[in-house]
Amino acid sequence: MSRTKLAAAASVSALSLALSGCMGGGDIPSASAPITQSEAQMGAEAHPQLLSEFGGAMTGSHAQYVEQVGKNIAVQSGLGNARESFTVSLLNSPVNNAFAIPGGYVYTTRQLVALMNNEAELAGVLGHEVGHVAARHSQRRQAAAQRNTLLGAAGAILSGILLGNSGLGQQLGQAALQGSQLLTLKFSRSQELEADELGIRYLNSAGYDPRAMATVLQSLALQNALDARVQGRDNARIPEWASTHPDPASRVQTALATARATGVTGGITNRDTFLTRIDGLTYGDDPSQGVVEGRNFIHPDLRLAFTVPQGFYMMNGTRAVTINGQSGQAQFTLGPYNNNLDSYVASVFAGVSNQQQIRPQTIQRTTVNGLPAAYGTARVNSNNGQVDVTVFAYEFSNDRAYHFLAITPAGRASIFNQMFASMRRIDARAAANVIPRVIDVVTVRSGDTVNSLARRMAYSDNQVERFRVLNGLTSNEGVRAGQKVKIVVRGS
């Protein structure tokens, strides 16, 4: 959750027609068809907002390397003037995601790059997204995009589990989306598979190992499963490239079959070069956007922290933090503040739904850890029965306030009382102690094992599992002396 981006109102409508997930039926357009002026204009208009939604574009050597690989693979698409017309951005986001929009704009997050293990995998993911541009998948899905709100997973969780397809649920879903960097437009399975096929085709023509598409999909599937276990969820349906580009586990086999059909055995991977080039890449949350540490959210720039209840997990977005669990969902963000907490709380309620007025019976004042606060709860009818909507706001200064917007089954609003009461300021020393995690590429020495290397991971839980997934190692695979591997450590 970035302070500067929180101050701006999020508007996703301009992106509704542009964000590309993956693949649609029909013949693949002529490979030589250049990007049109209208496509370039559409992409250019959406590009700045997309960068804002996903933490901004990174600069420096990591971004330059990703851009270089992306433009090289874009040339394989056969699109006229591809090297000059494509824009490839490395996004400062802790979410595993990649996408493309019309006009040759291709994006991948640093978190997804960190999960990869060689240059061929990077080229495969970027080639998959180039395939969307070449096949004009966004344009094919424009009609569907116009009919549907652009809902990310945060919105789906909020509106689906408790509220069904009610108008209230849709409004809350939009509110959650606006506070999220998890924007996505879901495409059909056939489009996804077509983009996989095109990406593999580009890998092959560039001399890369065509099996790289399958191996990166396998890593994504394993990361999804690990995240689900760590967060105590029953499934891996979180908003990552692997899930918004459907079912990575089943796509692994299809991608392997497509790679075998090329007849190529081997090919370039550039593993050591890739690992050397991503050394030092930020991993997980960027402190400038706040960090999730177990059940705690800490924002060193905003000088605040809070703790979520046991059994809940957080997703940190550019404009908001979403809190999810079986017994309720919530969002932490801010709105315009005029030094009046009562009107602030009322305005949040007023913005929840365009289809029905939602007002609390009363707005009560209190103090939380020295912070002036106000809160109210409204009972609302939804398709799945009655729910309680709670807004709990805190004043940090005369012109700055933050709030939780929470949804629970009727009578269960108290599930978040502990979280509401945990909001607190942090001092300069606590802020300075928030140190980012980074990728550290090390060479395996004689005597090193998976277990000994995993103990160096900057996590207190699931160290071995995290190390294996990060390095694409199976449950039985070991390491050998001289091999380069990734570990996650605290930065300087």
Side-chain angles (χ1 to χ4, degrees), residues 11 32 45 72-73 110 149 159 177 227 232 266 273 319 361 365 380-381 384 395 406 422:
S11 173
S32 60
E45 290 175 354
N72 287 344
I73 204 68
R110 57 174 168 77
T149 301
S159 63
L177 175 65
D227 288 340
T273 297
R319 290 185 172 90
Q361 287 188 343
R365 299 296 293 265
V380 182
N381 293 318
N384 291 347
E395 181 183 88
S422 72

Side-chain angles (χ1 to χ4, degrees), residues 111-379:
Q111 194 74 358
L112 182 55
V113 172
L115 186 60
M116 300 171 190
N117 285 287
N118 58 58
E119 187 176 289
E121 291 185 348
L122 174 59
V125 167
L126 296 175
H128 173 106
E129 302 306 335
V130 168
H132 285 309
V133 176
R136 269 64 181 192
H137 287 152
S138 282
Q139 292 86 321
R140 297 191 198 185
R141 300 294 285 186
Q142 276 191 8
Q146 286 172 320
R147 292 193 303 267
N148 297 292
T149 301
L150 185 62
L151 286 178
I157 291 169
L158 281 168
S159 63
I161 294 177
L162 290 178
L163 300 169
N165 295 317
S166 66
L168 172 64
Q170 292 171 8
Q171 290 299 318
L172 286 172
Q174 291 174 43
L177 175 65
Q178 290 178 353
S180 171
Q181 51 183 215
L182 312 179
L183 295 176
T184 181
L185 181 60
K186 198 166 186 176
F187 278 67
S188 69
R189 178 174 176 79
S190 63
Q191 285 179 315
E192 297 294 350
L193 295 176
E194 185 182 349
D196 283 350
E197 181 180 350
L198 286 170
I200 292 168
R201 184 188 304 178
Y202 303 156
L203 284 174
N204 191 36
S205 60
Y208 286 112
D209 186 344
R211 296 171 297 182
M213 186 71 75
T215 57
V216 73
L217 284 169
Q218 178 67 21
S219 290
L220 281 158
L222 293 173
Q223 185 66 56
N224 268 6
L226 175 59
D227 288 340
R229 291 198 302 274
V230 169
Q231 295 170 351
R233 294 180 287 111
D234 295 330
N235 60 68
R237 290 296 178 187
I238 55 178
E240 298 180 315
W241 191 70
S243 56
T244 57
H245 298 52
D247 197 3
S250 65
R251 283 169 59 202
V252 170
Q253 299 307 315
T254 304
L256 279 173
T258 304
R260 291 192 199 101
T262 66
V264 175
T265 55
I268 297 168
T269 61
N270 283 347
R271 174 182 167 83
D272 283 4
T273 297
F274 171 83
L275 293 176
T276 299
R277 294 297 296 269
I278 70 164
D279 191 28
L281 186 64
T282 301
Y283 187 86
D285 291 325
D286 181 340
S288 68
Q289 299 173 358
V291 300
V292 175
E293 293 286 354
R295 292 166 51 208
N296 294 305
F297 177 76
I298 308 166
H299 203 306
D301 290 353
L302 301 181
R303 296 288 180 88
L304 61 80
F306 62 84
T307 304
V308 302
Q310 189 75 37
F312 285 76
Y313 66 94
M314 286 177 278
M315 294 185 293
N316 185 19
T318 308
R319 290 185 172 90
V321 181
T322 36
I323 301 103
N324 300 291
Q326 292 298 315
S327 53
Q329 289 79 40
Q331 177 192 62
F332 175 72
T333 186
L334 91 171
Y337 186 55
N338 61 0
N339 198 27
N340 186 317
L341 273 176
D342 286 20
S343 63
Y344 181 89
V345 170
S347 69
V348 175
F349 274 109
V352 167
S353 176
N354 291 329
Q355 299 185 15
Q356 57 179 301
Q357 271 194 346
I358 300 177
R359 293 177 179 172
Q361 287 188 343
T362 61
I363 295 177
Q364 297 178 275
R365 299 296 293 265
T366 187
T367 301
V368 176
N369 297 318
L371 294 168
Y375 63 94
T377 297
R379 185 150 298 177

Side-chain angles (χ1 to χ4, degrees), residues 406-489:
I407 312 169
T408 60
R412 298 290 304 279
S414 62
I415 191 71
F416 285 121
N417 283 355
Q418 178 187 6
M419 179 178 74
F420 298 151
S422 72
M423 178 60 65
R424 57 200 181 273
R425 295 183 188 271
I426 60 172
D427 58 21
R429 181 175 181 180
N433 286 335
V434 179
I435 301 172
R437 294 181 173 94
V438 298
I439 292 291
D440 185 22
V441 176
V442 300
T443 301
V444 178
R445 299 169 301 184
S446 177
D448 283 339
T449 64
V450 166
N451 287 348
S452 66
L453 290 164
R455 284 195 292 270
R456 297 163 63 181
M457 296 278 284
Y459 290 94
S460 59
D461 66 323
N462 299 281
Q463 289 177 310
V464 171
E465 292 83 355
R466 292 180 190 274
F467 178 81
R468 286 192 178 278
V469 171
L470 185 65
N471 288 282
L473 299 175
T474 66
S475 59
N476 298 319
E477 197 172 356
V479 293
R480 64 182 185 281
Q483 175 185 2
K484 290 184 183 297
V485 295
K486 296 172 287 181
I487 57 176
V488 178
V489 300

